Amino acid sequence: MKFVIRLHAEITIKSKGVRKRYGKVLVNNLKKILQRVELPAATPVKVLWCWDRIEVNVDSNDPLVAEQISEELQRIPGIAWFSQSHELPLNDREQADFKPILAQVLATWSARLTQRSFAVRVKRKGKHGFSSLDLERYVGGGVLQQVAGTRVDLKRPDVELRIEIDNDVVRVFGDKQTGLGGFPLPTQETVVSLLSGGFDSSVASFQLLRRGARTHFCFFNLGGDRHETGVRQTAYYLWENYASSHPLKFISIDFAPVVEEILTHVDNGLMGVVLKRQMLRTAQIVARRINASALVTGEALGQVSSQTLSNLAVIDEAIDSLVLRPLITMDKQEIINIAEQIGTADIARSMPEYCGVISVKPNVKAQRDAVLEAEAKLDPELLYQVVRAANVEEVRHIGEQTDEQAHVVDSVDAAQAGEIIIDIRSADEQEARPLDASQLGVAVQHIPFFKLATAFAELDVDKHYLLYCEKGVMSKLQALYLQEQGYENVGVYQPKRKG
């Protein structure tokens, strides 16, 4: 099978040298990421740079392989769109035989065309003895004759049948699938994102990854171990789905001593602004140590008191590094919608906004002099102390460390009679790939992981439960957390992969 990939439009309009460099980076990223597609032995994935496109070739016709490749391509920055391509030779440019082309179109599309409208779109490169319109009319007429209930609609068709003639090669395309767009990693400079695990910071981090910036994560722990567990899950999810071609760092900083100092010395109305200034100062120390060029936050204009223009101006004066705010003009629902699309919404729902507990009556227009007077009572060395004590780890190792930490958690590939499998995936994941209780021979319950901590306490203590998720990472983290809370009747269901 072959996939044809088109670069994001902003890449194609760049100079020849820049376009070539971005293309090569994307090719290398594709090679790294597609290595994890499960293929039969000795079946390599070949990725070719062809200037106006990138081709992915796999010596397999397994639809499951095609599905896996499609899932990966949808999440790689730099891709505008892609399609599976079925190629055949054009034997004669002057008097081409259109019958093989029609046959390939029918083989690719007929099962999905019944009772639907369609349009045939042909693009040609090179000199031929026929026009694009000639081929469009021939294929369109053949589809009308051979597929029941079809009709032509050139303006708003249900299906577009796309054909490309490239000199002596004919390409009949399958579904046109949308990519992330943006730029390949790491074609932009490195940044540090202040990640809290909520909707805003996870979407802001995604936006920078999508634009090709290697994005390390800095977490200020204000809520204890469980809060950190959730944020580590967010970081791992973002890396695994959108940035796994390159290593990213997760820096966890115990910010409790800084918060305690603020609570002791700062007026209540200024606490939120001072806290944000202290966070930026600390993140700047981190950024300089790892050679990052900017900081990223999830702030949106006017969303909370510390995010008014006046307060943001005062907050930014605390440092001389560039602060990027990709969500600055978005409203909350827009941010939540993006979080739903990229898959971080369910994790975010389980994350309380710990920063919001600081000020009871926050000042929406903090005075610079008052802020500076309050900060004069704080110890600047404390920020360096918490950075020196920070835990720094590679995000990719979070899954491996989870395996090591969860060695005490039973992990099985088959459930026993009387056990209950708890599917902790999101509703969308459950619907797309449901667990069949009849085939498994045991009961299956659906409890999203962000509700598990409270819901588990209400389950029958005499039953044994096996947690399940797609990759096994989330289920192990949740099982480990439950065991730390004293629950011994929990394990992990991790079925063997087919193939």
Side-chain angles (χ1 to χ4, degrees), residues 149-165:
T150 53
R151 64 189 186 282
V152 174
D153 185 343
L154 298 180
K155 292 184 177 180
R156 294 183 178 179
D158 296 328
V159 179
E160 282 193 347
L161 307 180
R162 293 176 299 115
I163 303 170
E164 184 178 277
I165 311 294

Side-chain angles (χ1 to χ4, degrees), residues 213-240:
R214 183 179 292 185
T215 304
H216 300 297
F217 306 109
C218 184
F219 165 58
F220 295 101
N221 193 341
L222 305 174
D225 291 342
R226 186 162 185 269
H227 185 200
E228 181 168 350
T229 296
V231 180
R232 290 173 83 239
Q233 290 174 355
T234 302
Y236 185 81
Y237 178 88
L238 288 170
W239 171 81
E240 184 181 42

Side-chain angles (χ1 to χ4, degrees), residues 221 235 266 278 290 354 357 397 405 432 456 459 475 478:
N221 193 341
V266 178
Q278 293 292 76
I290 61 176
Y354 290 100
V357 305
H397 292 158
Q405 293 173 342
F456 200 85
L459 299 178
S475 55
Q478 293 294 332

Side-chain angles (χ1 to χ4, degrees), residues 165-278:
I165 311 294
D166 187 351
N167 293 307
D168 296 325
V169 177
V170 180
R171 298 187 185 96
V172 176
F173 292 107
D175 289 318
K176 183 177 182 180
Q177 300 189 61
T178 303
L180 280 185
F183 299 136
L185 278 167
T187 51
Q188 309 304 310
E189 294 173 86
T190 300
V191 300
V192 171
S193 178
L194 280 63
L195 186 67
S196 69
F199 292 103
D200 303 341
S201 63
S202 59
V203 171
S205 300
F206 164 77
Q207 298 283 35
L208 267 294
L209 290 170
R210 179 183 172 275
R211 294 300 290 182
R214 183 179 292 185
T215 304
H216 300 297
F217 306 109
C218 184
F219 165 58
F220 295 101
N221 193 341
L222 305 174
D225 291 342
R226 186 162 185 269
H227 185 200
E228 181 168 350
T229 296
V231 180
R232 290 173 83 239
Q233 290 174 355
T234 302
Y236 185 81
Y237 178 88
L238 288 170
W239 171 81
E240 184 181 42
N241 284 277
Y242 305 109
S244 62
S245 57
H246 289 80
L248 304 178
K249 289 182 171 62
F250 181 80
I251 301 103
S252 176
I253 298 175
D254 181 3
F255 222 53
V258 179
V259 173
E260 183 179 351
E261 190 181 41
I262 292 172
L263 290 170
T264 303
H265 298 292
V266 178
D267 178 74
N268 189 279
L270 298 176
M271 285 181 180
V273 170
V274 172
L275 175 65
K276 291 293 182 66
R277 282 167 62 94
Q278 293 292 76

